[in-house]
Amino acid sequence: MRMIEARRIGFTYGEGFVILDDISFYANKQEFVSIIGPSGCGKSTLLRIIAGLIEPSHGETLFLGKKVNGPTNGMSFVFQDFALMPWLTNIDNVKLGLELTKLDENEKEKLAFDLLKSFGLEGFEESYPNVLSGGMKQRVGLARAVASNPKVLLMDEPFSSLDELTANELRNDVLHMLKSKDIPVDTVVMVTHNVEEAIELSDKIVVLSNKPTYVKKIIPVNFRYPRNRESREFLNFSDKVYGVLTE
Ligand code: ADP
Ligand code: MG
């Protein structure tokens, strides 16, 4: 089943400065799709278009077969810089993810509390983001994103502001979350510039060109988890992806 379909998306700035030329791909249910491409090629712009946060200049995104016309119930966004509100407590930041739901205040409080706990942040409910490490901040970001029970997570370089050790922990948390029955999200579209990260996590990698940006290649990744970055298979595969990126 197609969860997300990007159909011939284009995006032009001002007087015809073309950023995205023509982008099509889809993400099936239970797929983890990575979008990789050079810095400035429009990855963040593309993901925001898919999320309905920006309107494309041409083309469209379908979510479960329906055209996206703005922020959409069922899709949540995870930001590179976490995008937490510094004046809100951690639990209130998670509750922001519940604003469009019909839950009453007590239900929101309970759900946000449980989510923080399941992300390993018990005891930090009433403190503010500034006391948290980067990894903990992104856990709050993930808790906020999944709070509304989305089917799809859109993640824009979610691990790239973290040190490698923390990034690795969070990647594992995300894979774990995708398997968990408590959290219904099972489809991910992730923007990254990290080839190894894309290979480690994805079922499919969409490789973008330089501006004006088109899809160079869509590469299925079909070897088994857990994917060992030192294995011959992995190294051969990353050679292949770097090849497409730089050709
Ligand atoms: P990426 O995430 O791949 O690094 P972005 O989507 O952030 O790329 O940006 C794509 C391009 O759009 C960049 O080349 C950038 O220069 C341009 N851009 C982004 N925001 C603006 C803006 N407000 N005005 C003009 N150009 C912009
Ligand atoms: Mg970006």
Side-chain angles (χ1 to χ4, degrees), residues 25-26 31-36 195 198-199 201-208 215-223 227 236-247:
F25 73 93
Y26 57 83
E31 257 186 338
F32 193 121
V33 178
S34 289
I35 299 172
I36 193 161
V195 170
I199 298 171
L201 298 176
S202 316
D203 298 299
K204 183 158 104 183
I205 302 175
V206 179
V207 184
L208 302 181
V215 176
K216 277 184 153 175
K217 196 162 187 172
I218 297 178
I219 307 174
V221 191
N222 29 32
F223 53 102
R227 293 175 179 160
N236 285 342
F237 205 88
S238 54
D239 281 351
K240 182 168 146 186
V241 178
Y242 277 112
V244 176
L245 256 177
T246 54
E247 79 194 2

Side-chain angles (χ1 to χ4, degrees), residues 13 17 19 37-46 156-157 191 211:
Y13 249 116
F17 181 64
I19 294 171
S39 175
C41 78
K43 300 181 294 299
S44 295
T45 306
L46 175 62
D156 189 0
E157 310 232 19
V191 160
K211 277 180 296 193

